[in-house]
Amino acid sequence: MRLLIIGAPGAGKGTQASAIASHYGVLAISTGDIFRANIKGGTELGKKVKAIMDAGDLVPDEVTDEIVVDRLGQPDAVGGFLLDGYPRNLHQVSALDTYLSGKGESLDAVISLEVDPELLTARLLKRAEIEGRSDDNEETIRNRMSVYSSQTEPLIDHYRQAGLLVPVDGVGEISEVHDRIVAALDARA
Ligand code: AMP
């Protein structure tokens, strides 16, 4: 299975992505996690992206696209994948399409995790207390929300028109949301 999960910051993408990926036995790839690991490890890439992430802006497409293509080309991605946090704009959508179609592959489904915008900021501020992510402060959150609405939200229509969109209500217990995603994906298969 080749899957994407899309949702606003705070919608619970990361939490759901790992459980869904293990449910279907595919590799979960989170671009945000890759960047955070590089920042933590003090790599060149980490140094390049730290200020961008702290501001809540998008890392340049050429950097992000290359990382994803490289990761998808590794042997553990052969059995399928769930991409969390990528693509995030229409340029990345076409970079991914070009890569997959070059291998004769395509996406199976795009999970759209839907959460009332008013709940999102509260969730993020709570996460800030628990995980201490440096981009979970009020100013950065505001920018991440606006980047999401202007750049990422249009992907939902794009994938709906492509017949790939699987909208799922993202409000509730983690396990409830998980079961909804599995039910919705299984209903398609
Ligand atoms: P996330 O963990 O998905 O919320 O991502 C955290 C941050 O990493 C984002 O606010 C961006 O700065 C950066 N990032 C993650 N994925 C992407 C992407 N596909 N394109 C550009 N920047 C990204």
Side-chain angles (χ1 to χ4, degrees):
M1 261 182 144
R2 287 178 285 270
L3 304 169
L4 308 183
I5 186 163
I6 297 185
K13 278 180 289 127
T15 309
Q16 294 298 335
S18 13
I20 293 298
S22 54
H23 180 89
Y24 291 107
V26 298
L27 178 72
I29 302 173
S30 155
T31 43
D33 282 352
I34 294 174
F35 292 138
R36 278 184 289 278
N38 277 275
I39 292 174
K40 209 170 163 199
T43 68
E44 279 310 306
L45 174 65
K47 284 176 199 150
K48 204 186 301 183
V49 303
K50 170 130 181 45
I52 300 172
M53 278 182 77
D54 281 347
D57 290 325
L58 293 186
V59 172
D61 290 335
E62 57 274 20
V63 175
T64 311
D65 292 340
E66 193 186 322
I67 285 167
V68 172
V69 162
D70 178 67
R71 191 64 192 87
L72 289 177
Q74 289 171 32
D76 55 351
V78 168
F81 58 79
L82 194 173
L83 274 167
D84 155 21
Y86 182 94
R88 245 176 163 99
N89 60 28
L90 287 165
H91 169 90
Q92 294 180 6
V93 167
S94 61
L96 179 63
D97 273 355
T98 305
Y99 172 76
L100 290 176
S101 57
K103 302 208 304 176
E105 293 175 352
S106 57
L107 295 171
D108 295 300
V110 177
I111 305 156
S112 166
L113 211 48
E114 300 181 334
V115 176
D116 180 345
E118 295 201 350
L119 285 175
L120 296 171
T121 308
R123 281 191 179 186
L124 288 169
L125 290 171
K126 194 170 152 203
R127 183 171 77 187
E129 276 174 33
I130 299 166
E131 293 178 18
R133 260 177 64 165
S134 61
D135 59 348
D136 279 344
N137 62 73
E138 231 166 318
E139 196 187 334
T140 303
I141 289 171
R142 212 172 306 120
N143 190 37
R144 285 162 63 208
M145 294 295 181
S146 107
V147 168
Y148 175 79
S149 4
S150 62
Q151 311 235 25
T152 311
E153 224 170 5
L155 273 51
I156 293 179
D157 265 340
H158 171 87
Y159 286 123
R160 185 182 294 117
Q161 278 164 26
L164 289 171
L165 198 76
V166 177
V168 176
D169 177 4
V171 181
E173 295 296 320
I174 291 173
S175 62
E176 265 172 10
V177 177
H178 172 87
D179 293 347
R180 276 180 214 143
I181 297 175
V182 170
L185 287 174
D186 289 353
R188 273 178 68 89

